[in-house]
Amino acid sequence: MSTIKKIGVFTSGGDAPGMNACVRAVVRTGIYSGVEMVGIQQGYQGMIDKKFIKMDARSVCHIIQLGGTILKTARCLDFKTKEGRAFAYKNIKEAGIDALVAIGGDGTFTGAELLSREFDIPVIGVPGTIDNDLYGTDFTLGYDTATNTVIDAIDKIRDTAASHDRLFFVEVMGRDSGCIALQAGIAGGAEAILLPEKDTAIEDLISKLEAGAGSNKTSSIVIIAEGEKNGGAYNVAKRVKEKFNFYDVKVTILGHLQRGGSPTSFDRVLGSRFGYAAVNALLAGENRKMVGLVSNKIQLTDIQESITNHSTKLEEDLLEMSHILAI
Ligand code: F6P
């Protein structure tokens, strides 16, 4: 029998589609198991500001289809200090919360790991970020929806690129992770993909575009992750244009329209599986673990390990394939 009587759930860092499906699953799995459930609004900031709300099965009605997070989210500087975490912990204890489910990315997990170690409170992490950059899961929540949003945009841009014989540079999210750029680039048939994990010489990009133009390509699309080392889509476009003036050049920054939106069926099911597994892991006595999906099975990984190895996901063979398929 678990000694856990009250679980707090929160979302933190960037919102991601599927977070609400996960909150719903956490709350209902907890209630089903006889545990009291508390929603903590605005992540770590809400712990400091005592934003605790009691949740029951009906509090999470009609949210599985919603993007964003009904619990809201914030990036909290106070929580980065030991004093801030001590104050948050005091408030958590006063609210009677025994254990936490933390839904977010590597920043969220860093905070959760510290809080759990310093104050001995059990925490299970759920990987919720469109960036897909956490070790210990094949997919993070929101990644599938975000890449589908990006593909929709690329398809539309391609119509215009083809109609006007233009070269488009499309910038997508991913400060440290090229997962969205690679996935959407392949699915959108991009002529080149520039990633934060891999340096691309502008000369090599130009050679590729020249080869395309030389073999009757009348338009091209280059996908650039925002953290790519040449400094983003505007800089790359400018430098390419200086040396290669074959096409009319345009730049599109997709920005925050990639983060919101109704989750795909994949992200709804993933959020449900993660939330269910997270509560059951806590009740089984697990601590400082992240739930993940590996080969379609739920797997637990040490939170620390998931953070430390978080940037090791670039699949070089896919990048190589994308080059070949775009000749
Ligand atoms: O971590 C998810 C993410 O969308 C990154 O890809 C992006 O760089 C960052 O969040 C943007 O954060 P913010 O919304 O705080 O500007």
Short mmCIF file of all heavy atoms in Angstrom, two decimals, residues 31-73:
data_model
loop_
_atom_site.label_atom_id
_atom_site.label_comp_id
_atom_site.label_asym_id
_atom_site.label_seq_id
_atom_site.Cartn_x
_atom_site.Cartn_y
_atom_site.Cartn_z
N ILE A 31 -7.65 9.80 -8.91
CA ILE A 31 -8.98 9.70 -8.27
C ILE A 31 -9.42 8.23 -8.23
O ILE A 31 -9.91 7.73 -7.22
CB ILE A 31 -10.04 10.52 -9.07
CG1 ILE A 31 -9.63 11.99 -9.16
CG2 ILE A 31 -11.45 10.31 -8.54
CD1 ILE A 31 -9.98 12.86 -8.00
N TYR A 32 -9.21 7.53 -9.33
CA TYR A 32 -9.59 6.11 -9.42
C TYR A 32 -8.88 5.30 -8.32
O TYR A 32 -9.44 4.35 -7.77
CB TYR A 32 -9.21 5.58 -10.81
CG TYR A 32 -9.47 4.10 -10.99
CD1 TYR A 32 -10.74 3.63 -11.27
CD2 TYR A 32 -8.42 3.18 -10.86
CE1 TYR A 32 -10.97 2.26 -11.42
CE2 TYR A 32 -8.65 1.82 -11.02
CZ TYR A 32 -9.92 1.37 -11.29
OH TYR A 32 -10.15 0.02 -11.44
N SER A 33 -7.64 5.70 -8.01
CA SER A 33 -6.86 4.96 -7.01
C SER A 33 -7.09 5.50 -5.59
O SER A 33 -6.35 5.14 -4.66
CB SER A 33 -5.37 5.05 -7.34
OG SER A 33 -5.17 4.61 -8.65
N GLY A 34 -8.04 6.41 -5.43
CA GLY A 34 -8.37 6.90 -4.08
C GLY A 34 -7.45 7.99 -3.56
O GLY A 34 -7.38 8.25 -2.36
N VAL A 35 -6.72 8.64 -4.48
CA VAL A 35 -5.78 9.70 -4.08
C VAL A 35 -6.44 11.06 -4.32
O VAL A 35 -7.17 11.23 -5.31
CB VAL A 35 -4.48 9.60 -4.92
CG1 VAL A 35 -3.52 10.71 -4.58
CG2 VAL A 35 -3.83 8.24 -4.72
N GLU A 36 -6.22 12.02 -3.42
CA GLU A 36 -6.70 13.39 -3.68
C GLU A 36 -5.79 14.04 -4.72
O GLU A 36 -4.57 13.83 -4.69
CB GLU A 36 -6.65 14.22 -2.40
CG GLU A 36 -7.81 14.00 -1.46
CD GLU A 36 -7.72 14.98 -0.31
OE1 GLU A 36 -7.91 16.19 -0.52
OE2 GLU A 36 -7.42 14.51 0.80
N MET A 37 -6.37 14.85 -5.60
CA MET A 37 -5.59 15.44 -6.67
C MET A 37 -5.63 16.96 -6.61
O MET A 37 -6.69 17.56 -6.40
CB MET A 37 -6.12 14.97 -8.04
CG MET A 37 -6.03 13.47 -8.26
SD MET A 37 -4.35 12.80 -8.13
CE MET A 37 -3.48 13.68 -9.41
N VAL A 38 -4.47 17.57 -6.80
CA VAL A 38 -4.36 19.02 -6.77
C VAL A 38 -3.67 19.48 -8.06
O VAL A 38 -2.63 18.94 -8.44
CB VAL A 38 -3.51 19.47 -5.56
CG1 VAL A 38 -3.28 20.99 -5.57
CG2 VAL A 38 -4.16 19.06 -4.25
N GLY A 39 -4.26 20.50 -8.70
CA GLY A 39 -3.60 21.11 -9.85
C GLY A 39 -2.80 22.31 -9.35
O GLY A 39 -3.31 23.11 -8.56
N ILE A 40 -1.55 22.41 -9.78
CA ILE A 40 -0.72 23.56 -9.40
C ILE A 40 -0.62 24.45 -10.64
O ILE A 40 -0.11 24.01 -11.69
CB ILE A 40 0.68 23.11 -8.94
CG1 ILE A 40 0.54 22.11 -7.78
CG2 ILE A 40 1.52 24.33 -8.53
CD1 ILE A 40 1.85 21.39 -7.43
N GLN A 41 -1.17 25.67 -10.54
CA GLN A 41 -1.21 26.54 -11.72
C GLN A 41 0.13 27.25 -11.93
O GLN A 41 0.80 27.61 -10.97
CB GLN A 41 -2.33 27.57 -11.56
CG GLN A 41 -3.71 26.94 -11.60
CD GLN A 41 -4.80 27.96 -11.36
OE1 GLN A 41 -4.69 28.81 -10.48
NE2 GLN A 41 -5.87 27.87 -12.13
N GLN A 42 0.47 27.46 -13.17
CA GLN A 42 1.70 28.18 -13.57
C GLN A 42 2.99 27.53 -13.08
O GLN A 42 3.96 28.21 -12.74
CB GLN A 42 1.63 29.63 -13.12
CG GLN A 42 0.59 30.39 -13.90
CD GLN A 42 0.51 31.84 -13.50
OE1 GLN A 42 0.55 32.15 -12.31
NE2 GLN A 42 0.38 32.69 -14.47
N GLY A 43 3.00 26.23 -13.01
CA GLY A 43 4.23 25.49 -12.71
C GLY A 43 4.88 25.90 -11.40
O GLY A 43 4.21 26.05 -10.37
N TYR A 44 6.21 26.06 -11.43
CA TYR A 44 6.95 26.37 -10.19
C TYR A 44 6.52 27.72 -9.61
O TYR A 44 6.55 27.91 -8.40
CB TYR A 44 8.46 26.35 -10.47
CG TYR A 44 8.94 24.96 -10.84
CD1 TYR A 44 9.51 24.70 -12.08
CD2 TYR A 44 8.77 23.90 -9.95
CE1 TYR A 44 9.92 23.41 -12.41
CE2 TYR A 44 9.18 22.61 -10.28
CZ TYR A 44 9.76 22.38 -11.52
OH TYR A 44 10.15 21.11 -11.85
N GLN A 45 6.13 28.63 -10.47
CA GLN A 45 5.68 29.94 -9.98
C GLN A 45 4.44 29.76 -9.09
O GLN A 45 4.29 30.42 -8.05
CB GLN A 45 5.34 30.85 -11.18
CG GLN A 45 5.11 32.31 -10.81
CD GLN A 45 6.35 32.93 -10.16
OE1 GLN A 45 7.46 32.80 -10.68
NE2 GLN A 45 6.17 33.58 -9.01
N GLY A 46 3.57 28.84 -9.49
CA GLY A 46 2.36 28.57 -8.72
C GLY A 46 2.65 27.95 -7.36
O GLY A 46 1.88 28.13 -6.41
N MET A 47 3.76 27.21 -7.26
CA MET A 47 4.15 26.66 -5.94
C MET A 47 4.55 27.81 -5.02
O MET A 47 4.28 27.79 -3.82
CB MET A 47 5.34 25.71 -6.08
CG MET A 47 5.02 24.46 -6.87
SD MET A 47 6.48 23.40 -6.99
CE MET A 47 5.91 22.26 -8.24
N ILE A 48 5.22 28.80 -5.59
CA ILE A 48 5.66 29.94 -4.79
C ILE A 48 4.46 30.83 -4.44
O ILE A 48 4.34 31.33 -3.33
CB ILE A 48 6.77 30.70 -5.55
CG1 ILE A 48 8.04 29.85 -5.48
CG2 ILE A 48 7.01 32.10 -4.98
CD1 ILE A 48 9.18 30.28 -6.34
N ASP A 49 3.54 30.99 -5.39
CA ASP A 49 2.38 31.87 -5.17
C ASP A 49 1.16 31.12 -4.59
O ASP A 49 0.07 31.68 -4.52
CB ASP A 49 1.97 32.53 -6.50
CG ASP A 49 3.07 33.39 -7.07
OD1 ASP A 49 3.96 33.81 -6.28
OD2 ASP A 49 3.07 33.64 -8.29
N LYS A 50 1.33 29.89 -4.20
CA LYS A 50 0.26 29.05 -3.60
C LYS A 50 -0.97 28.94 -4.51
O LYS A 50 -2.10 29.10 -4.07
CB LYS A 50 -0.19 29.61 -2.25
CG LYS A 50 0.92 29.69 -1.21
CD LYS A 50 0.33 30.04 0.14
CE LYS A 50 1.40 30.35 1.14
NZ LYS A 50 0.97 30.75 2.43
N LYS A 51 -0.73 28.67 -5.76
CA LYS A 51 -1.86 28.51 -6.70
C LYS A 51 -2.23 27.04 -6.80
O LYS A 51 -1.93 26.36 -7.79
CB LYS A 51 -1.49 29.10 -8.05
CG LYS A 51 -1.35 30.61 -7.98
CD LYS A 51 -1.46 31.22 -9.32
CE LYS A 51 -1.56 32.72 -9.22
NZ LYS A 51 -1.28 33.39 -10.47
N PHE A 52 -2.86 26.54 -5.75
CA PHE A 52 -3.24 25.13 -5.69
C PHE A 52 -4.75 25.02 -5.86
O PHE A 52 -5.50 25.71 -5.15
CB PHE A 52 -2.85 24.54 -4.33
CG PHE A 52 -1.38 24.68 -4.02
CD1 PHE A 52 -0.96 25.40 -2.90
CD2 PHE A 52 -0.42 24.09 -4.84
CE1 PHE A 52 0.39 25.54 -2.61
CE2 PHE A 52 0.94 24.22 -4.54
CZ PHE A 52 1.34 24.95 -3.44
N ILE A 53 -5.19 24.16 -6.77
CA ILE A 53 -6.65 23.97 -6.92
C ILE A 53 -7.00 22.48 -6.83
O ILE A 53 -6.35 21.65 -7.45
CB ILE A 53 -7.20 24.56 -8.25
CG1 ILE A 53 -6.31 24.17 -9.44
CG2 ILE A 53 -7.35 26.07 -8.19
CD1 ILE A 53 -6.95 24.42 -10.78
N LYS A 54 -8.02 22.22 -6.01
CA LYS A 54 -8.47 20.83 -5.87
C LYS A 54 -9.07 20.38 -7.19
O LYS A 54 -9.79 21.14 -7.84
CB LYS A 54 -9.53 20.79 -4.76
CG LYS A 54 -9.97 19.40 -4.39
CD LYS A 54 -10.93 19.47 -3.20
CE LYS A 54 -11.70 18.17 -3.02
NZ LYS A 54 -10.90 16.95 -3.00
N MET A 55 -8.76 19.16 -7.60
CA MET A 55 -9.30 18.68 -8.88
C MET A 55 -10.05 17.36 -8.68
O MET A 55 -9.62 16.52 -7.87
CB MET A 55 -8.18 18.49 -9.89
CG MET A 55 -7.43 19.79 -10.13
SD MET A 55 -6.39 19.77 -11.58
CE MET A 55 -7.52 20.15 -12.89
N ASP A 56 -11.15 17.23 -9.39
CA ASP A 56 -11.85 15.94 -9.38
C ASP A 56 -12.03 15.48 -10.82
O ASP A 56 -11.56 16.14 -11.76
CB ASP A 56 -13.19 16.05 -8.62
CG ASP A 56 -14.12 17.06 -9.24
OD1 ASP A 56 -14.03 17.30 -10.47
OD2 ASP A 56 -14.96 17.62 -8.51
N ALA A 57 -12.72 14.36 -10.99
CA ALA A 57 -12.83 13.79 -12.34
C ALA A 57 -13.48 14.78 -13.31
O ALA A 57 -13.15 14.81 -14.50
CB ALA A 57 -13.62 12.48 -12.29
N ARG A 58 -14.41 15.58 -12.81
CA ARG A 58 -15.10 16.53 -13.68
C ARG A 58 -14.27 17.79 -13.98
O ARG A 58 -14.57 18.52 -14.91
CB ARG A 58 -16.46 16.97 -13.07
CG ARG A 58 -17.47 15.83 -12.86
CD ARG A 58 -18.14 15.36 -14.15
NE ARG A 58 -17.34 14.48 -14.97
CZ ARG A 58 -17.05 13.20 -14.68
NH1 ARG A 58 -17.52 12.63 -13.61
NH2 ARG A 58 -16.32 12.48 -15.48
N SER A 59 -13.23 18.07 -13.18
CA SER A 59 -12.39 19.25 -13.47
C SER A 59 -11.66 19.11 -14.79
O SER A 59 -11.14 20.09 -15.31
CB SER A 59 -11.29 19.44 -12.41
OG SER A 59 -11.70 19.17 -11.14
N VAL A 60 -11.56 17.88 -15.28
CA VAL A 60 -10.78 17.68 -16.50
C VAL A 60 -11.66 17.22 -17.67
O VAL A 60 -11.18 16.61 -18.63
CB VAL A 60 -9.61 16.68 -16.25
CG1 VAL A 60 -8.55 17.32 -15.36
CG2 VAL A 60 -10.10 15.38 -15.61
N CYS A 61 -12.97 17.57 -17.58
CA CYS A 61 -13.89 17.26 -18.68
C CYS A 61 -13.53 18.08 -19.91
O CYS A 61 -13.16 19.26 -19.78
CB CYS A 61 -15.31 17.72 -18.32
SG CYS A 61 -16.16 16.55 -17.30
N HIS A 62 -13.71 17.52 -21.08
CA HIS A 62 -13.61 18.25 -22.35
C HIS A 62 -12.29 18.99 -22.54
O HIS A 62 -12.26 20.10 -23.06
CB HIS A 62 -14.77 19.27 -22.47
CG HIS A 62 -16.09 18.69 -22.15
ND1 HIS A 62 -16.57 17.55 -22.76
CD2 HIS A 62 -17.05 19.07 -21.26
CE1 HIS A 62 -17.76 17.25 -22.26
NE2 HIS A 62 -18.08 18.15 -21.34
N ILE A 63 -11.21 18.40 -22.05
CA ILE A 63 -9.91 19.08 -22.28
C ILE A 63 -8.98 18.24 -23.15
O ILE A 63 -7.93 18.71 -23.57
CB ILE A 63 -9.19 19.45 -20.96
CG1 ILE A 63 -8.79 18.20 -20.15
CG2 ILE A 63 -10.05 20.38 -20.11
CD1 ILE A 63 -7.78 18.50 -19.04
N ILE A 64 -9.35 16.99 -23.42
CA ILE A 64 -8.42 16.10 -24.14
C ILE A 64 -8.08 16.65 -25.53
O ILE A 64 -7.00 16.43 -26.08
CB ILE A 64 -8.99 14.66 -24.22
CG1 ILE A 64 -7.88 13.66 -24.59
CG2 ILE A 64 -10.18 14.56 -25.18
CD1 ILE A 64 -8.25 12.21 -24.37
N GLN A 65 -9.01 17.42 -26.10
CA GLN A 65 -8.83 17.94 -27.46
C GLN A 65 -8.17 19.32 -27.50
O GLN A 65 -7.94 19.86 -28.58
CB GLN A 65 -10.18 17.98 -28.20
CG GLN A 65 -11.10 19.13 -27.84
CD GLN A 65 -11.87 18.95 -26.52
OE1 GLN A 65 -11.52 18.11 -25.70
NE2 GLN A 65 -12.90 19.74 -26.31
N LEU A 66 -7.88 19.87 -26.32
CA LEU A 66 -7.36 21.25 -26.29
C LEU A 66 -5.84 21.32 -26.32
O LEU A 66 -5.16 20.57 -25.59
CB LEU A 66 -7.85 21.98 -25.04
CG LEU A 66 -9.37 22.11 -24.86
CD1 LEU A 66 -9.68 22.82 -23.54
CD2 LEU A 66 -10.00 22.86 -26.03
N GLY A 67 -5.30 22.27 -27.09
CA GLY A 67 -3.87 22.57 -27.04
C GLY A 67 -3.59 23.43 -25.82
O GLY A 67 -4.49 23.73 -25.03
N GLY A 68 -2.34 23.86 -25.66
CA GLY A 68 -1.97 24.66 -24.49
C GLY A 68 -2.07 23.82 -23.23
O GLY A 68 -2.00 22.59 -23.27
N THR A 69 -2.22 24.49 -22.09
CA THR A 69 -2.39 23.76 -20.83
C THR A 69 -3.38 24.49 -19.94
O THR A 69 -3.19 25.69 -19.67
CB THR A 69 -1.05 23.55 -20.08
OG1 THR A 69 -1.34 23.30 -18.70
CG2 THR A 69 -0.09 24.72 -20.18
N ILE A 70 -4.41 23.79 -19.48
CA ILE A 70 -5.41 24.44 -18.61
C ILE A 70 -4.78 24.82 -17.27
O ILE A 70 -5.30 25.69 -16.58
CB ILE A 70 -6.67 23.57 -18.35
CG1 ILE A 70 -6.29 22.27 -17.63
CG2 ILE A 70 -7.46 23.32 -19.63
CD1 ILE A 70 -7.42 21.67 -16.82
N LEU A 71 -3.66 24.19 -16.91
CA LEU A 71 -3.00 24.55 -15.64
C LEU A 71 -2.09 25.76 -15.80
O LEU A 71 -1.51 26.23 -14.83
CB LEU A 71 -2.20 23.35 -15.11
CG LEU A 71 -3.03 22.16 -14.63
CD1 LEU A 71 -2.11 21.02 -14.17
CD2 LEU A 71 -3.96 22.56 -13.49
N LYS A 72 -1.98 26.23 -17.01
CA LYS A 72 -1.08 27.34 -17.36
C LYS A 72 0.38 26.95 -17.08
O LYS A 72 0.65 25.96 -16.42
CB LYS A 72 -1.44 28.63 -16.61
CG LYS A 72 -2.83 29.13 -16.99
CD LYS A 72 -3.10 30.48 -16.39
CE LYS A 72 -4.47 30.97 -16.77
NZ LYS A 72 -4.47 31.54 -18.12
N THR A 73 1.27 27.77 -17.60
CA THR A 73 2.69 27.47 -17.43
C THR A 73 3.46 28.78 -17.30
O THR A 73 2.94 29.85 -17.62
CB THR A 73 3.21 26.61 -18.60
OG1 THR A 73 4.58 26.27 -18.36
CG2 THR A 73 3.07 27.30 -19.95
#
